[in-house]
Amino acid sequence: MPINVTLIPGDGIGPSITDATVRLLAAAGADLTWDRQLAGMAAVKEYNDPIPDATIESIKRTKLALKGPLETPVGKGFRSINVALRKAFDLYANVRPAKSVIPGLRFSDVDIILVRENTEGLYIGIENYIKVGDDERAAAQSVAVVTRLGAERIHRYAFEFAVLHGRKKVSLVHKANILKLSQGLFLDVGREIAKEYAGRIEVEEKIVDACAMELVMRPERFDVIVTTNLFGDILSDLTSGLVGGLGLTPGANIGKNAAIFEAVHGTAPDIAGKGIANPTAVMLAACQMLDHIGDTALGTRVRNAVENTLRARKTVTGDIGGTATTEQYTDAVIANL
Ligand code: NAD
C-alpha cells in the first residue's frame, strides 16, 4: 500500500526544490502518494488564506507532510504559518541534524543533532504593545512560556533519540543564569530527565552564549544538543553554517499524531525563480521522513546518494561552490542512487 503524504510546495524556491525531491524519491522507488496542498503566500494568492482548511485536513488525514519553505511577512501581517502548523499538530520536537559531508570546509568532523523545543518559549505568540501617552507603541513585550510538560517531553525526546541512535552525549543548552524562572525550569527538568539516563548517556550543561562560541571553535565535541525554541532556531542556523550552509540542513517537526519534514532554510527570495537553488535540505528532510515511517533502508539509500554527490563536489549548486542548476544536481543524485 502506498503511503499518503501531504506535499506543500511552499513559496520562493519551495516549488522547485520540492519538485526535485519528488523526482528523486520516484526514481528511488519510494511508494508514496502525494496530496498536494497550498500554504503561505501561494495560498494567500489562491484562497486569501495562508493556511487553508484543506491543508490542515490533509495533514490530519496523512499525519505526514513534506513542506517547502513558507514566506512570513516581517514585523506585520499574518503570524508565521510554520509556527501555526507546529502548534496545530503539537509538533513539539524539532530535530535538525548538521553533518560534515562536503570536503575542504573549515570543519570535517561535525555530526550534531540539535533538538529544539518547538511549541513554547518566546515563540508561543503572547505579545503586546504598551501605550504611554499618545504613543500606542511606546513599549512592547513578548512572553516566554516554559511548562514542565513541555520541558519534560523535549528532554525525554532528546535522550531517547540519543539512546536509539547510539549517541554518547546530550548538552543541555540554556540561559538559566539570567532568565532564572523560565530557563531555570527548563534546566531543572532537563537535569531530572538526565538522571534516568545516567551511565548510558553523558550529560553536560552549557549556557547558550558560551555554547555558540564553542560550536564555532570546537564543533566536533558536540553530539546531541537540546534547547528552547529561540535558542534552537538560532543555533541550528549556526550548525548549518559549520557544514556548508543553509542549503544542506533538514529539519523534522515531530508530534505524537503527525510529523512535518522541511528544510531549515527559508524561501531564498534572492534566488527564487532562477533554477539554481540547492534542493539538498528538502531531500535530506525526505530521508528523515522515510526513517520516520520505518523505511530506513530507502532513507539510507537516498541519503547516501545525496552525500556521495556532495562529496564528489562535481555537480553541485552555486551556494556550495558549484555551477549546477537544481535540475542538473538532482540528475546527479539520481545517477548516484
Ligand atoms: P533564507 O533561508 O530564505 O535565505 C538566507 C540565505 O540563504 C539567502 O542568501 C538564500 O539565497 C540562501 N539560501 C537559503 N536556502 C538556500 C538553498 N536551498 N539553496 C541556495 N541558497 C539558499 O532566509 P531569509 O531570507 O531570512 O528568509 C526568507 C523568507 O523565508 C522569510 O519570509 C522567512 O520568514 C521565511 N522562512 C521560512 C522558513 C520555513 O518555512 N521553515 C524558515 C526560515 C525562513
Side-chain angles (χ1 to χ4, degrees), residues 13 67 69-72 82 246 262 265-268 270-271 278:
I13 60 171
K67 189 182 104 7
L70 304 174
E71 183 183 331
T72 301
N82 296 309
L246 279 173
E262 62 182 347
H265 63 72
T267 58
D270 50 336
I271 57 166
N278 186 351

Side-chain angles (χ1 to χ4, degrees), residues 38-85:
L38 295 181
M41 287 313 283
V44 170
K45 277 184 202 133
E46 189 78 20
Y47 303 115
N48 200 25
D49 181 355
I51 181 159
D53 289 346
T55 303
I56 297 284
E57 288 307 317
S58 171
I59 302 173
K60 274 189 189 156
R61 236 178 7 252
T62 62
K63 304 184 187 338
L64 217 51
L66 184 67
K67 189 182 104 7
L70 304 174
E71 183 183 331
T72 301
V74 177
K76 56 182 166 43
F78 56 81
R79 279 197 64 210
S80 163
I81 315 305
N82 296 309
V83 174
L85 281 172

Side-chain angles (χ1 to χ4, degrees), residues 15-47:
S16 84
I17 57 179
T18 50
D19 277 357
T21 303
V22 167
R23 189 154 74 83
L24 169 63
L25 293 179
D31 201 4
L32 306 171
T33 303
W34 301 103
D35 183 18
R36 283 178 183 265
Q37 298 290 341
L38 295 181
M41 287 313 283
V44 170
K45 277 184 202 133
E46 189 78 20
Y47 303 115

